[in-house]
């Protein structure tokens, strides 16, 4: 069933909440929505878990205000959902940008009942290169993505999708995944890209105080595998699960392995 939770600034955040067992909360990637976890949801429900999928502000069925697309505000939205639904002792799964938001949440709200953390292809600790951080896209490359979004968002999304997966997926599957991003708000897509470009979580990693599983595709062209190594170095109780046949989209490239790994961890 679907719920709407009101954020601090009045924004309505859409949540898909299905099942009755222990809760697993999912944070999607840029610029999709919680439906990207369709095949994880099915596996969790079959195993008796509760699936809680959040659409960020600006994405999916949530409201799309003009502001609030920084990690701290998005993490606050997650807190309002967890609090509003009374979720305790849960696992949080953050994919790509959702991984960065999940880290921000784990640090900002350590008393919310978070039990375990899964970071899949996380856009963390930093998405763009710095003088002392040579990994990921350059800030100029993200600026170009933003410019392309302003000119032809569907074409930008198509190009982004071409580097998302390592394996070949059916055309209908590719179209479905592309559509998830098309329904996002344009201004939310742009504002979130600026957050990806500018934010830095390196000092936050040591403050993550829950057991953390880092799932990362070795062929990831969006969040290079070096990101996983940096997260493992920084997060005290963490380990990496290498996905040898995956690009960025581990949830589909190695769907069965992803689901099995997730179920074993939680």
């Amino acid at each position: 069933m679907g719920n709407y939770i009101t954020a601090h600034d009045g924004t309505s955040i859409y949540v898909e909440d299905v099942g009755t067992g222990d809760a697993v909360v999912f944070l999607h990637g840029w610029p999709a929505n919680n439906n990207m976890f369709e095949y994880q949801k099915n596996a969790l429900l079959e195993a008796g878990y509760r699936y809680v999928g959040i659409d960020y502000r600006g994405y999916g069925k949530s409201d799309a205000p003009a502001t609030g697309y920084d990690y701290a505000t998005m993490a606050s939205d997650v807190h309002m959902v967890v609090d509003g639904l009374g979720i305790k002792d849960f696992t949080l799964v953050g994919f790509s940008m959702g991984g960065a938001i999940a880290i921000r949440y784990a640090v900002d709200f350590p008393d919310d009942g978070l039990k375990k953390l899964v970071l899949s292809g996380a856009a963390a600790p930093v998405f763009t290169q710095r003088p002392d951080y040579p990994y990921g896209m350059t800030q100029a490359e993200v600026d170009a993505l933003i410019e392309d979004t302003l000119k032809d968002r569907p074409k930008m999304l198509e190009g982004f999708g071409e580097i998302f997966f390592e394996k070949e997926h059916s055309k209908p599957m590719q179209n479905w995944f592309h559509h998830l991003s098309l329904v996002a708000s344009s201004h939310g897509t742009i504002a979130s890209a600026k957050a990806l470009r500018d934010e830095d979580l390196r000092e936050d990693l040591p403050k993550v105080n829950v057991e953390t599983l880092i799932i990362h595709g070795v062929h990831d062209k969006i969040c290079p595998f070096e990101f996983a190594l940096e997260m493992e170095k920084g997060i005290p109780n963490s380990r990496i699960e290498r996905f040898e046949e995956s690009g960025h989209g581990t949830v589909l490239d190695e769907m069965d392995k992803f689901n099995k790994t997730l179920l074993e961890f939680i």
Side-chain angles (χ1 to χ4, degrees), residues 182-219:
L182 281 176
V183 299
S185 66
S186 178
H187 59 279
T189 299
I190 291 166
S192 298
K194 291 177 180 177
L196 283 164
R197 179 192 66 194
D198 298 340
E199 300 215 31
D200 187 339
L201 297 169
R202 282 178 287 182
E203 293 184 1
D204 294 288
L205 296 184
K207 302 173 187 174
V208 176
N209 62 3
V210 295
E211 184 181 359
T212 302
L213 174 65
I214 300 165
I215 291 174
H216 220 100
V218 298
H219 304 289

Side-chain angles (χ1 to χ4, degrees), residues 107-127:
V107 173
D108 287 357
F109 301 98
D111 300 320
D112 261 10
L114 179 62
K115 181 174 63 176
K116 292 183 178 181
L117 183 63
V118 179
L119 303 172
S120 176
V126 191
F127 184 65

Side-chain angles (χ1 to χ4, degrees), residues 70-80 101 104-105 108-109:
D70 57 284
Y71 292 167
T73 302
M74 306 277 255
S76 173
D77 292 345
V78 175
H79 164 68
M80 295 300 289
I101 295 167
R104 176 84 276 135
Y105 170 83
D108 287 357
F109 301 98

